[in-house]
Amino acid sequence: MNRIDAKFKELKKKHKKALITYICAGDPNLRTTGELVLELEKNGADIIELGVPFSDPIADGPTIQRAALRSLKNNTSLADILGLVRQLREKSQIPILLMTYFNPVYQFGLEKLAQAAVKSGVDGFIIPDLLPESGRAASRILKKHKLAPVYLVSPLTSGKRLALINKESAGFVYYVSVTGITGARTSLPQDIGRHAQSLRRYINQPVAVGFGVSNARQVKQLSAWFDGVIVGSAIVSIIEKNIGKKDLVAKVGRFVRSLMAKK
Amino acid sequence: MLPDRNGYFGPFGGKYVPETLMPALAELETIYCQVKNNAAFKKELAYYLAEYAGRPTPLYFARNLTSLYGGAKIYLKREDLAHTGAHKINNTIGQALLALRMGKKRIIAETGAGQHGVAVATVAALFKLQCEVYMGAEDIERQKLNVYRMQKLGTKVIPVTSGSQTLKDAMNEALRDWVTNVRSTHYMLGSCAGPHPFPLIVRDFQTVIGREAKKQILKAEKRLPDYLLACVNGGSNAIGLFYPFYNDKKVKFIGVEAAGAGVNKPHTAATMAKGTIGILHGSKSYLLQDKNGQVSPTHSIAAGLDYPGVGPEHSYYKYTGRAEYVNATDQEALVAFDLLARQEGILPALESSHALAYLKKIAPKLDKNKIIIVCLSGRGDKDMEQIMKREESL
């Protein structure tokens, strides 16, 4: 069984929800990213999303844009990140998904990437500019290699599309909490609980919610409705503020632990 | 008929956008399909193109330029004489009429040279729509006049300081705005690029250029032209001129890209010459990128050509050989600018100057009975300050 499916199954048994954390690989450098992944796991993260930087991240807000830029300044490539995951697999079996845009994936080559991902121990891909219609070939290749293509759902997605997204996705479905780009927000839409319920009519796999989630209160609130909660920009912003400081990794760890306080 | 149902021109085009934009793209496609053959819509569009934008624009026989080169007859399709000074108004009037039918009260756009931005700001004023235009900080600097024009028309110009601070980054920001405000906002994309249905809609609204040119040349010369020449970046003026001649296989299409300092210099904008197939801003097309799929920085003296991509239909024309794509350097464009000014008394936009620059390579070699139509996509007033500064610094 894929590590993602196993994780959701395990959490369900314990009546727990998944805490999914995003960091951009190569920000501030790959060695630190490796340490951060282990620290995130140690402090309660259930699943890791590793951002693969792209020069034109249209779904990302300023925080993650800057992280991608820092990573690209180090010339971090998809191949480097696969290498990092391979190293991490000697120490950790936490589910790891790569989150990127379609162009770096397309240039690598889908079949070649799927094979390399399996070899490295990557479990799935989140590609926010790939729609299920445009991604059919990609989904097929990923699924053939037991990798999870995770598609996104927005508050505006129709029922008919939800069914399609459910069919094309594996691992979980990513619910985007707001119409917008990534970035910490102080408040989330009021009707998110109602949306979460209506999703279940079409989606028969775990649903994780992300975009805008930045504190323990939100994590707790959203855990009531979703199977997983994704925190990204809030973590990336702590990394940004502590670049060059010795306790960067520990600070990120403490923040992630604090997210669990009310879980 | 291209594009196909999914927005592909052969292997190019499609929709590569965040899920949040899907309903808006579907709505746009639905409304466009409903109105495009609707008599009332066509009448309204024709009214504004004629009475407001000043169409048809002339097809002018450039007698002096023709005798200077001593070869083919050169005609200029005078889009510079359309209201706001460029072909961009053809598209923005059309899209404004669509936005009104969709009940969208706010429009946003990206702009490079500012010609599209001005055309958007213009229709926003005319149709009482709230309007914000994203423009790279570097472009704001080199196209100050157009920034001020937009502001005078009541549009807010938002400087984009991310990335290379040019058209590509303005488009990133416009897409981010659209994802955020999609319920109330129409994204008035300015070129035949982006996700389906934009390449189709923009092309269709720009084909007025080619339809007029065809009628005009048949009247003047009693025959079709041999060559159509236009500058290409996204390529909306070129596709607008080319498309109505698509089935006239003897009419050759030449698109001229911006080479910047030269196609083999590190920063160029000659996507067709140096690009490979990739995905940027919603569609699959040729793209200037590195081996890891990171989009390359570009350079062109013409802000409106300073973009690493190209419209998917142009990629298809290249792929199938229907059109040929060549390029001109900054320097060649400046020479062509001066030449048209002195020979014909017309100041062309730096973008259009790239198309004019290619004339010297083709016109002298052709027989005197051959005909070339060049799309003079815009006027050069906006570029005067930049040219002045460049000449002072030499």
Side-chain angles (χ1 to χ4, degrees), chain A residues 3 30-32 58 63 109 123 133 139 147 163 171 214 216 218 223 227 247:
Chain A
R3 291 183 192 91
L30 273 181
R31 189 182 50 78
T32 310
I58 55 164
T63 305
D123 302 294
E133 293 92 339
S139 312
L147 293 162
S214 62
Q218 290 170 327
S223 291
D227 306 298
D247 57 348

Side-chain angles (χ1 to χ4, degrees), chain B residues 19-294:
Chain B
E19 173 64 27
T20 310
L21 294 180
M22 269 307 278
L25 292 174
E27 181 189 18
L28 182 60
E29 191 176 350
T30 305
I31 206 98
Y32 181 64
C33 289
Q34 278 170 12
V35 302
K36 75 174 177 186
N37 294 317
N38 170 292
F41 179 83
K42 288 209 285 202
K43 198 174 155 196
E44 194 178 4
L45 179 62
Y47 167 80
Y48 284 106
L49 288 177
E51 303 298 322
Y52 186 72
R55 304 202 70 92
T57 60
L59 183 72
Y60 172 70
F61 173 53
R63 190 179 311 275
N64 298 337
L65 206 57
T66 299
S67 64
L68 181 81
Y69 286 128
K73 282 182 161 180
I74 299 165
Y75 280 85
L76 303 176
K77 180 59 177 163
R78 298 290 307 275
E79 291 303 294
D80 61 316
L81 293 176
H83 180 43
T84 72
H87 71 292
K88 294 292 187 186
I89 192 81
N90 305 331
N91 170 45
T92 59
I93 290 176
Q95 285 201 46
L97 296 178
L98 296 180
L100 292 173
R101 278 163 176 74
M102 291 186 291
K104 303 269 167 120
K105 300 274 187 258
R106 177 177 180 261
I107 52 178
I108 55 166
E110 82 297 336
T111 196
Q115 289 300 96
H116 175 56
V118 168
V120 172
T122 298
V123 298
L126 177 65
F127 296 110
K128 306 280 169 257
L129 297 161
Q130 189 201 335
C131 179
E132 291 175 28
V133 170
Y134 290 91
M135 188 167 183
E138 187 187 321
D139 290 339
I140 286 181
E141 188 51 42
R142 55 180 169 171
Q143 301 284 347
K144 273 187 199 146
L145 181 64
N146 272 346
V147 175
Y148 198 54
R149 289 169 79 193
M150 285 185 266
Q151 287 167 342
K152 276 294 173 199
L153 290 160
T155 280
K156 188 175 167 196
V157 179
I158 304 174
V160 175
T161 54
S162 57
S164 58
Q165 313 195 350
T166 58
L167 182 54
K168 161 181 94 92
D169 310 282
M171 206 156 163
N172 288 341
E173 256 345 285
L175 282 164
R176 289 178 186 125
D177 181 316
W178 201 28
V179 171
T180 308
N181 301 299
V182 63
R183 290 181 176 95
S184 65
T185 300
H186 172 62
Y187 178 18
M188 199 172 275
L189 214 148
S191 198
C192 53
H196 180 66
F198 283 110
L200 163 72
I201 290 176
V202 176
R203 177 195 75 195
D204 285 359
F205 286 142
Q206 290 295 1
T207 53
V208 67
I209 303 172
R211 282 184 278 121
E212 285 177 7
K214 199 170 193 175
K215 250 188 234 161
Q216 290 164 322
I217 200 72
L218 286 174
K219 192 172 170 213
E221 296 282 348
K222 313 280 180 290
R223 71 177 191 87
L224 290 173
D226 300 286
Y227 290 89
L228 302 177
L229 203 54
C231 66
V232 169
N233 185 215
S236 69
N237 87 86
I239 212 74
L241 176 64
F242 295 171
Y243 188 73
F245 294 88
Y246 186 83
N247 292 322
D248 303 311
K249 297 293 179 200
K250 285 188 178 156
V251 181
K252 296 187 178 70
F253 302 166
I254 301 178
V256 187
E257 293 189 299
V263 280
N264 294 318
K265 293 284 161 38
H267 292 182
T268 172
T271 304
M272 293 298 201
K274 306 298 281 186
T276 49
I277 297 173
I279 294 101
L280 179 69
H281 295 151
S283 60
K284 188 184 281 183
S285 200
Y286 286 101
L287 178 65
L288 290 166
Q289 59 183 330
D290 70 13
K291 65 180 189 334
N292 293 322
Q294 307 298 345

Side-chain angles (χ1 to χ4, degrees), chain A residues 52-61 65 69 72 75-79 102-108 128-135 152-158 161 165 176 178-181 185 195, chain B residues 6 8 11 14-25 162-163 168-169 171-173 175-183 276-282 284 287 289-296 308:
Chain A
V52 178
F54 177 51
S55 52
D56 296 84
I58 55 164
D60 285 305
Q65 285 175 44
L69 213 63
L72 284 176
N75 292 315
T76 313
S77 69
L78 182 46
F102 192 47
N103 199 46
V105 169
Y106 183 77
Q107 297 313 321
F108 200 99
D129 62 343
L130 190 64
L131 299 164
E133 293 92 339
S134 317
L152 293 86
V153 162
S154 98
L156 304 178
T157 305
S158 66
R161 292 188 54 75
I165 289 168
V176 176
V178 291
T179 58
I181 51 179
R185 288 170 178 81
H195 270 287
Chain B
N6 297 316
Y8 281 91
K15 280 181 195 167
Y16 297 87
V17 291
E19 173 64 27
T20 310
L21 294 180
M22 269 307 278
L25 292 174
S162 57
K168 161 181 94 92
D169 310 282
M171 206 156 163
N172 288 341
E173 256 345 285
L175 282 164
R176 289 178 186 125
D177 181 316
W178 201 28
V179 171
T180 308
N181 301 299
V182 63
R183 290 181 176 95
T276 49
I277 297 173
I279 294 101
L280 179 69
H281 295 151
K284 188 184 281 183
L287 178 65
Q289 59 183 330
D290 70 13
K291 65 180 189 334
N292 293 322
Q294 307 298 345
V295 179
S296 305

